[in-house]
Amino acid sequence: HGWPQQIGYSFVNRNWILPGRYYSITMNHPSFSVEYFIIDSNAWDAKHPDEDPEHNMCSRAHNPDGANCAAAGGPHTVEDCRDWFWSTYAQQKEWLKTKLAASTADWQVVITHFPCGTDAAFWRTMRQHYGLDLLATGHRHDQELWPNSEMLGGLTCFTTGGGGGVTSEEPPAGMGSSQYGFFDLTMSKEKMHIELVALDGNVIQSSTIYPKAR
């Protein structure tokens, strides 16, 4: 929603980085480098216009009659909406394969919206055949750490959707709950260490990641 405004803001505020719906950026640190790949996975919320109106960007119920996003490069109608999102998502996945295969950074990290477990077979392939090291996600309103996930082919994934200001997935069970909190990620050339920190400041889960041979 509001893609042109969000993308355009990147060119007037150097602290806001969103040059496109998907892109990559390499950060060079004194002794190592990380290439980040930002992917728009919101196709998973693009459905038939009459389906699931409360969780559907293409819903007829919440888009005005005659809605048209063509001026921003998007779908022409709500009837076109689902196929537009899914076709562009397919393009992004092919782009990601090419970019991962060509990456020379020490670490490869994907950042996307839909949470750990979504499109698991694809992310398993990215781990096993393209060397993806870490998947960072959101969407669900809690904090989840999936270390070396078997479902994801050994890929570590985290969901950080419990920063506050939203209703959590489950009632928080005290200040040590994983429904709210944050992640602390420490990186070096040799390893990444990720900690899930609860509201009370205690680390309730952690994992160490080593570079995937490519």
Side-chain angles (χ1 to χ4, degrees):
H1 305 304
W3 305 320
Q5 292 85 354
Q6 294 183 59
I7 292 169
Y9 194 53
S10 296
F11 298 97
V12 298
N13 186 332
R14 63 185 178 84
N15 295 315
W16 179 264
I17 301 173
L18 188 69
R21 286 180 57 228
Y22 61 98
Y23 62 96
S24 65
I25 184 169
T26 299
M27 305 296 291
N28 293 299
H29 301 278
S31 61
F32 66 97
S33 58
V34 186
E35 188 164 6
Y36 296 95
F37 305 88
I38 287 72
I39 296 292
D40 179 5
S41 56
N42 285 310
W44 292 97
D45 255 350
K47 305 165 188 175
H48 185 277
D50 297 317
E51 180 185 347
D52 192 13
E54 301 308 318
H55 304 88
N56 181 4
M57 295 184 296
C58 304
S59 167
R60 205 183 308 276
H62 297 294
N63 284 289
D65 291 342
N68 187 335
C69 298
H76 290 74
T77 67
V78 291
E79 286 77 14
D80 297 335
C81 181
R82 179 189 182 280
D83 289 346
W84 186 89
F85 272 99
W86 281 98
S87 64
T88 58
Y89 183 47
Q91 293 168 14
Q92 291 178 67
K93 291 163 81 169
E94 292 304 311
W95 170 86
L96 180 61
K97 291 177 185 178
T98 301
K99 295 291 286 186
L100 281 172
S103 179
T104 58
D106 296 299
W107 296 98
Q108 288 75 34
V109 178
V110 164
I111 302 169
T112 193
H113 179 71
F114 265 74
C116 304
T118 304
D119 212 357
F122 174 72
W123 297 118
R124 184 165 59 246
T125 299
M126 294 303 97
R127 170 65 176 177
Q128 294 178 336
H129 298 290
Y130 293 88
L132 180 61
D133 295 299
L134 179 65
L135 179 61
T137 74
H139 189 71
R140 279 196 293 264
H141 294 172
D142 62 6
Q143 301 291 98
E144 304 172 22
L145 178 57
W146 295 35
N148 307 309
S149 169
E150 183 177 349
M151 177 189 290
L152 302 176
L155 177 65
T156 292
C157 177
F158 67 89
T159 296
T160 179
V166 296
T167 302
S168 57
E169 295 293 322
E170 302 290 340
M175 295 294 283
S177 169
S178 63
Q179 293 299 304
Y180 293 100
F182 65 93
F183 283 95
D184 184 62
L185 181 62
T186 305
M187 308 177 77
S188 68
K189 186 178 179 66
E190 293 77 24
K191 64 184 179 181
M192 285 193 279
H193 187 66
I194 183 168
E195 296 180 327
L196 195 172
V197 183
L199 281 173
D200 59 8
N202 288 320
V203 175
I204 57 176
Q205 194 178 0
S206 65
S207 181
T208 300
I209 306 166
Y210 299 95
K212 174 76 167 63
R214 306 175 74 243

